[in-house]
Amino acid sequence: MGFYDDLNHVERKRKRAPGVGRLIMTSITSAVIGGMVVLLMLPTLSNAGYINMVQSGATNAMSNPAANLFAQPISVSVDTGTVQAVEKAENAVVGIINIGRTRTNYWSNSSEDIEQGQGSGVIFQKKNGKAHIITNYHVIDQAQKLEVALPGGEKVDAKVLGYDMFTDLAVLEIDGSKVLTVAELGDSSTLRVGEPAIAIGNPLGMKFSRTVTQGIISSLERSMPMDFDGDGQDDWELDVLQTDAAINPGNSGGALVNIHGQVIGINTLKISKSGIEGLGFALPINDVKKIVSELMENGKLERAYLGVTPYDLTNVPRYNWKETLNLPDEVTAGVVIRNEVGKFSPAGVAGLRQYDVIVKMDNKDITNGAQLRKFLTLNKKPDESVEITYYRDGVKNTASVKLSKTPQQ
């Protein structure tokens, strides 16, 4: 190699040297920055459970620094309030099987039961070898025979202790020897809108027995009009809780449970229309308690009897408000006495007549016949008195009426 070749070789080596230095410095800088980032993230990674920072002493942490960089096993607890509530209440929810009649199978010379429908029920009491179940009246309606499907799958015969169509409640009795769980009834007066609500029942029958759905209490004050005879007039107003927990056919009579596993409602109906979801309703358990105790004692609700046939003022043509009833302008709702009032009925004795318009009972507004019936059912007993405010020929009057038992009772 000549002189100039050696010189060029030396120059090329000198030109490469600075590039190598920069590369080394860049690597060192990157390593330092990366280390600082990791150090800064250590608390976050530790809180998230990905690494375990040993705080018992610097010696332990430094003796095996690589060990703390591995993810540690995380134990996730599913023992939540909802799970505990379901576990407490679910075995008190049973299936109700409505059998209409028995059909004879001529080919096998045997008989078989024909089911009319299936629903749900809640075991709320076990006493003297018997267990008692709350369910809806419409679940047992027209049954010739009733069976109860227990949580273990066994079916037992049920006896009806009492029922009421208007309040949509019924009480059944079964042999209690195989009943292991009784529901705890809560207090619906303490409920708040937005708190959790858990529905337990048998949607679509026993195939989906004790299905659990969860939502919230959507409203505490809903009143659902009920027209039982299809005459276009509401016969009753059902006071209900509203929930968005999924309720389907077969859930009727089942439990609506709070986060403590207490039954705070009896699921009874839902609004089922295209485009509408999450509108389910339950009877408040405080109302249920009062009615069930009377059904168990008397087999029915003993209603106070007034002796009038109510007709909603809003269904009367507006022309007759002035020309026939002579009502003042401030009267916009009430109940017209439609029938001839019997002379010896409670209303007749108090002086009420046909076409009088009742607007208050014990100073509580009465706007329709359903409210009138409900007020007498839930607030009055036979032989008690009620003060009625009414209009006759445009003049406001009051009358004290001593109520009696309903004649058919």
Side-chain angles (χ1 to χ4, degrees):
M1 180 182 295
F3 174 77
Y4 292 105
D5 291 333
D6 290 339
L7 183 60
N8 289 335
H9 178 66
V10 170
E11 288 296 318
R12 285 194 298 270
K13 289 176 67 177
R14 288 177 179 173
K15 289 179 181 179
R16 284 197 299 266
V20 173
R22 282 195 298 271
L23 179 60
I24 293 173
M25 290 301 297
T26 300
S27 300
I28 293 173
T29 301
S30 300
V32 172
I33 293 173
M36 292 177 66
V37 170
V38 171
L39 289 173
L40 290 172
M41 291 182 66
L42 279 175
T44 302
L45 294 171
S46 177
N47 291 335
Y50 290 105
I51 65 173
N52 180 25
M53 294 181 66
V54 179
Q55 297 180 346
S56 60
T59 304
N60 291 335
M62 296 301 294
S63 62
N64 191 8
N68 293 327
L69 298 181
F70 292 98
Q72 301 297 313
I74 300 175
S75 176
V76 179
S77 174
V78 295
D79 195 24
T80 65
T82 301
V83 171
Q84 292 175 8
V86 172
E87 289 177 346
K88 180 178 178 178
E90 65 176 341
N91 287 328
V93 178
V94 296
I96 309 295
I97 302 169
N98 183 322
I99 299 172
R101 59 189 175 87
T102 301
R103 176 176 60 191
T104 300
N105 187 329
Y106 294 101
W107 300 104
S108 61
N109 194 27
S110 63
S111 61
E112 57 186 1
D113 294 333
I114 299 177
E115 291 185 9
Q116 293 187 133
Q118 297 182 357
S120 306
V122 178
I123 301 172
F124 72 98
Q125 186 183 78
K126 185 177 177 181
K127 188 176 181 181
N128 298 327
K130 302 292 184 181
H132 299 127
I133 300 168
I134 304 170
T135 188
N136 288 139
Y137 167 77
H138 73 262
V139 170
I140 69 161
D141 187 21
Q142 299 183 27
Q144 301 297 314
K145 178 182 176 182
L146 289 167
E147 289 183 344
V148 169
L150 298 174
E154 184 175 357
K155 295 178 181 179
V156 295
D157 291 336
K159 171 186 175 183
V160 179
L161 293 185
Y163 61 86
D164 184 71
M165 176 181 70
F166 288 91
T167 58
D168 198 23
L169 283 170
V171 183
L172 309 182
E173 182 179 84
I174 61 172
D175 175 23
S177 61
K178 294 182 173 60
V179 171
L180 303 178
T181 305
V182 175
E184 179 183 346
L185 304 185
D187 182 359
S188 53
S189 69
T190 64
L191 294 174
R192 299 173 63 185
V193 172
E195 74 171 87
I198 306 162
I200 308 176
N202 308 310
L204 306 181
M206 299 310 301
K207 181 179 180 181
F208 299 100
S209 64
R210 293 182 298 140
T211 291
V212 177
T213 56
Q214 185 180 19
I216 61 171
I217 297 293
S218 304
S219 177
L220 300 174
E221 299 178 356
R222 290 286 184 257
S223 187
M224 304 298 293
M226 312 295 288
D227 179 9
F228 296 109
D229 53 15
D231 64 353
Q233 278 210 138
D234 296 334
D235 300 301
W236 187 260
E237 287 187 349
L238 203 61
D239 292 332
V240 289
L241 305 171
Q242 181 183 332
T243 178
D244 66 348
I247 295 175
N248 293 287
N251 272 110
S252 293
L256 189 68
V257 176
N258 64 15
I259 201 66
H260 305 294
Q262 300 168 325
V263 178
I264 43 90
I266 299 297
N267 299 322
T268 188
L269 56 92
K270 67 172 291 187
I271 294 180
S272 181
K273 292 183 180 179
S274 177
I276 295 179
E277 294 292 339
L279 286 178
F281 301 94
L283 302 171
I285 201 63
N286 286 13
D287 293 349
V288 172
K289 291 176 187 176
K290 292 186 292 186
I291 295 167
V292 161
S293 62
E294 188 168 343
L295 293 180
M296 292 183 67
E297 183 177 350
N298 302 319
K300 56 191 174 184
L301 292 186
E302 194 174 63
R303 287 181 163 81
Y305 178 67
L306 178 61
V308 302
T309 302
Y311 192 80
D312 296 353
L313 178 62
T314 52
N315 288 340
V316 175
R318 294 297 292 252
Y319 172 82
N320 295 111
W321 289 27
K322 285 290 187 182
E323 299 301 318
T324 304
L325 302 174
N326 196 28
L327 290 173
D329 292 338
E330 62 265 23
V331 178
T332 58
V335 175
V336 182
I337 298 179
R338 187 175 187 175
N339 62 310
E340 288 281 354
V341 179
K343 182 178 180 180
F344 299 106
S345 70
V349 171
L352 293 175
R353 303 177 190 169
Q354 185 180 30
Y355 301 136
D356 287 347
V357 180
I358 298 173
V359 293
K360 290 180 183 291
M361 302 183 82
D362 284 349
N363 210 34
K364 177 179 175 60
D365 290 340
I366 300 296
T367 62
N368 55 51
Q371 285 186 356
L372 185 148
R373 289 190 182 95
K374 186 167 71 172
F375 181 87
L376 293 176
T377 297
L378 302 182
N379 298 281
K380 296 295 179 179
K381 296 293 183 183
D383 298 326
E384 292 183 349
S385 295
V386 59
E387 184 176 88
I388 294 180
T389 303
Y390 65 97
Y391 282 86
R392 178 185 297 164
D393 295 327
V395 180
K396 182 190 285 188
N397 302 276
T398 60
S400 179
V401 182
K402 185 177 182 180
L403 304 165
S404 67
K405 288 186 178 182
T406 303
Q408 58 264 32
Q409 292 183 339

